[in-house]
Amino acid sequence: MGVEVGDVAPDFVLPGMRLVDGRVEHSEYRLSEHRGAPIVLAFYPLDGSKVCTEQLCSYQDQFGGFDSLGAQIWGISLQGVESHEEFARAEGLTFPLLGDHKEGVAAEYGTMLGPNAIRRSVFLIDGDGIVRWKHVAFVGFTYRRGSEIRDQILRLFPEPAGGTFALAPPV
């Protein structure tokens, strides 16, 4: 079934890591603790695979753009944090990578493809925790590019003259 646009995004706590100035920082990531600004959840199948590497490197290249828009991005896959650490170091990924090894977050969001595989999926969640845009791939050979996600952020969360984001009306 999964999460639909307009739904409250299911809260979760997942272990994760992030590269900060070349150091690995381990932490638990709780979605509800990041209210107030848009967040992008990018579910991806496999650390280090060709398409996942292209996808997440695209997001890394655009991350400054997301950051300048007040949005965060979290990558989520079924691998553990140790695998994420190796992948992040190899590719220079500085946004958080979270491990959904046994927690079932991918299933709750409707991104599972069988019992051991995840569909390449993106959810854009507003500062109130509402899903405002999503894309769940049927087969994971393509992905939403960073520029497309950036365009969705700009469409859904226009920046007023004062520099803070306003919530666009539901679509």
Side-chain angles (χ1 to χ4, degrees):
M1 188 85 145
V3 175
E4 298 299 331
V5 172
D7 288 352
V8 173
D11 195 20
F12 61 80
V13 177
L14 289 175
M17 57 74 52
R18 181 177 188 177
L19 282 180
V20 178
D21 298 325
R23 288 184 340 274
V24 174
E25 292 184 356
H26 293 267
S27 186
E28 285 194 332
Y29 290 81
R30 179 181 303 271
L31 184 60
S32 61
E33 289 179 358
H34 292 274
R35 296 283 162 91
I39 189 161
V40 176
L41 301 181
F43 291 87
Y44 66 99
L46 189 63
D47 289 338
S49 70
K50 181 182 183 322
V51 178
C52 291
T53 299
E54 289 174 6
Q55 175 188 12
L56 295 186
C57 286
S58 165
Y59 299 164
Q60 179 66 38
D61 292 345
Q62 289 287 320
F63 183 66
F66 296 165
D67 193 42
S68 70
L69 297 174
Q72 295 184 48
I73 183 167
W74 292 355
I76 303 173
S77 78
L78 301 179
Q79 286 80 39
V81 175
E82 298 78 21
S83 176
H84 292 340
E85 184 175 329
E86 184 178 320
F87 181 43
R89 284 188 184 280
E91 302 302 331
L93 303 174
T94 59
F95 54 86
L97 299 179
L98 285 54
D100 185 21
H101 183 61
K102 296 186 184 206
E103 284 76 3
V105 174
E108 191 170 11
Y109 276 76
T111 66
M112 291 301 294
L113 179 63
N116 298 313
I118 196 169
R119 293 179 195 268
R120 197 174 308 280
S121 308
V122 178
F123 294 82
L124 179 53
I125 300 166
D126 72 17
D128 293 323
I130 306 298
V131 176
R132 295 295 176 191
W133 180 80
K134 77 172 197 172
H135 179 269
V136 178
F138 182 71
V139 179
F141 299 117
T142 61
Y143 58 91
R144 302 298 92 189
R145 300 215 181 270
S147 58
E148 181 179 350
I149 296 168
R150 187 176 194 285
D151 290 347
Q152 290 297 330
I153 293 169
L154 287 169
R155 183 180 70 80
L156 292 168
F157 310 105
E159 186 176 4
T164 58
F165 286 89
L167 178 62
V171 284

